[in-house]
Amino acid sequence: MGEGRGVVAAGLGAVIAVLLQVVVAPNIALASALPNFVLAYALVLAVVRPDRTGPVLAFVLGLVFDLLGSGPVGAMAFLLVLVTFLASRAFSVLDNDTLFMPLVILVVSTLVVELFYAVFLMGTGFSAGPLDVFLYRALPCALYDCVVALVMFPLALRFLASRDPQQPGKPRLR
C-alpha cells in the first residue's frame, strides 16, 4: 500500500471512529459504561502501523473526544498521545508474529487509559471514591473498549497494514 493511500485510509478510519463515538456509543451504553471508539481506533492504528503512527492523529482524536464529552479538556488527548506512543514502541520490541502480543498490548493499553482517565476525572471533581471509579467506570469501560478494539483489529489489518512483497495476499504488521 502506498504511503499516501495509507494516510488517506487512516484518516478515513479516524473520521469513522469519531462518527461511531458520536452516533453509536451513546446508544449501546451498558449501565455507565460507554465504548470509546476513538481510543480503540488510535490503539489499533498504533499496533498495526507502529513505525508510521505519529502523535498528531492521536492528539486530534483525543481532543475531539474531549470536546464532545463531559470530561476535562485535554485529558484524553494527553493519554492517547502517551499510550499510542508506548503501545507502538512496545509492539515494535515485542512483536513475535503471533496474534498474542498485539492483543495483550491492546488490552493493557485500554485498561491503562481508562484508569488514568478515571484519575483525571476524580482530580477534576468527579464525586466518587477511588474504588467506585475503578469498579463502576474504569473497569467496565476498559472491557468494552477491549471488545471494540478486538473487533477493529482484523479490519485494520485488512485495510491499514502494509503488504508483504514476498506473500502478496498476507498483510504485514510492520
Side-chain angles (χ1 to χ4, degrees):
M1 174 184 299
E3 187 58 36
R5 193 169 145 201
V7 170
V8 170
L12 183 62
V15 169
I16 291 170
V18 169
L19 286 175
L20 287 172
Q21 186 66 41
V22 171
V23 176
V24 177
N27 295 320
I28 60 172
L30 296 175
S32 63
L34 275 169
N36 190 339
F37 289 101
V38 171
L39 167 64
Y41 179 73
L43 286 174
V44 165
L45 190 64
V47 170
V48 170
R49 302 172 51 139
D51 53 343
R52 290 174 295 211
T53 301
V56 175
L57 185 62
F59 178 78
V60 170
L61 285 173
L63 194 57
V64 167
F65 179 85
D66 287 335
L67 293 174
L68 292 174
S70 61
V73 175
M76 187 58 73
F78 170 71
L79 290 172
L80 279 184
V81 169
L82 183 66
V83 172
T84 55
F85 172 77
L86 293 175
S88 67
R89 295 306 165 252
F91 182 75
S92 295
V93 171
L94 300 173
D95 181 26
N96 59 359
D97 291 332
T98 64
L99 193 57
F100 180 72
M101 286 317 297
L103 298 182
V104 166
I105 291 170
L106 288 173
V107 168
V108 169
S109 298
T110 56
L111 184 61
V112 166
V113 168
E114 290 296 346
L115 284 173
F116 279 107
Y117 193 71
V119 169
F120 278 126
L121 286 176
M122 285 178 23
T124 58
F126 191 71
S127 60
L131 187 61
D132 290 336
V133 169
F134 175 73
L135 287 177
Y136 299 118
R137 201 245 171 249
L139 191 59
C141 288
L143 293 174
Y144 217 162
D145 297 344
C146 287
V147 170
V148 170
L150 294 178
V151 169
M152 283 185 182
F153 185 70
L155 295 171
L157 276 179
R158 172 69 176 100
F159 294 110
L160 297 173
S162 60
R163 300 285 170 197
D164 192 355
Q166 281 74 30
Q167 299 174 340
K170 182 180 175 193
R172 181 173 58 173
L173 285 177
R174 287 193 181 203

